[in-house]
Amino acid sequence: VLNEEQLEAEYKLFLNSGDKPNYYKSDEEIRSVLPILREKMLEAKSLAELNEFADAYLVECAYAHYKRGRIIRKYTNMYDLAINYEKWAIRYKKDYFSAWYQIAVCYESQGNYEEAVKAFEQICLILDKKFKDHLLSPIEIEYLYKAVVGVARIEQDGLGNIYRAEAYRNLAKEVIKEV
């Protein structure tokens, strides 16, 4: 069960994210729904009630699905459900690398290393061109680095492939040079 402190922390992250959900076309539209969102979040007695509200207000919102998946993973460890929400986020925003990261973390937590590697590699594919052109933002560098290190860790510790692990560690060194 989510407590008020956890919901408040997630709500503050939502407010400060700077990532406009796809469904809302302007800052004004987002601002108009935020007070309602906060009120409903605090009134919700269960995750089911929270989801019911989100379904009504944030149906086509990639960011809302991402946040729901992240909260579910972080506070309930219901990885399959979290993965489903992250996949919905990706349906609305194909290059949503932070949603791919959440998927990878879920799969790794479940011990599904092959799928975790695939999800981490999706981040690499999404950010590859910008990386090669030295155009990554700081958050993109962070996610690319975490993805590359994640693959290296899983390849070595989970799958026993030291050669692929070494190749990804070398790539991590290249990514860190972007900082």
Side-chain angles (χ1 to χ4, degrees), residues 11-29:
Y11 179 72
K12 285 179 183 175
L13 286 173
F14 179 82
L15 288 176
N16 295 318
S17 69
D19 185 11
K20 284 184 202 159
N22 297 351
Y23 186 68
Y24 298 98
K25 306 300 183 227
S26 70
D27 288 339
E28 194 54 43
E29 284 182 272

Side-chain angles (χ1 to χ4, degrees), residues 39-58:
E39 182 182 322
K40 293 293 183 181
M41 286 174 67
L42 293 174
E43 289 175 3
K45 302 288 186 249
S46 68
L47 191 56
E49 284 183 32
L50 216 80
N51 283 333
E52 184 179 318
F53 169 75
D55 285 341
Y57 279 85
L58 306 169

Side-chain angles (χ1 to χ4, degrees), residues 4 13 22 27 31 33 36 45 49 53-54 60 65 82 87 97 103 112 116-117 119 123 129 143 148 151-152 166 177:
E4 185 174 337
L13 286 173
N22 297 351
D27 288 339
R31 279 190 203 98
V33 82
I36 299 166
K45 302 288 186 249
E49 284 183 32
F53 169 75
E60 296 178 19
H65 290 293
K87 286 182 177 180
F97 57 86
I103 290 170
N112 190 343
V117 167
I123 298 167
K129 182 174 178 0
Y143 273 92
V148 170
V151 173
E166 184 62 27
K177 290 178 185 177

Side-chain angles (χ1 to χ4, degrees), residues 65-99:
H65 290 293
Y66 162 76
K67 289 302 290 184
R68 288 163 78 184
R70 185 170 179 266
I71 290 167
I72 289 166
R73 178 195 61 82
K74 195 171 178 183
Y75 297 114
T76 70
N77 296 329
M78 296 169 63
Y79 300 118
D80 289 330
L81 183 59
I83 289 167
N84 285 336
Y85 279 116
E86 299 302 342
K87 286 182 177 180
W88 271 104
I90 291 164
R91 283 185 187 111
Y92 292 111
K93 185 176 177 185
K94 300 289 184 221
D95 62 349
Y96 211 159
F97 57 86
S98 50

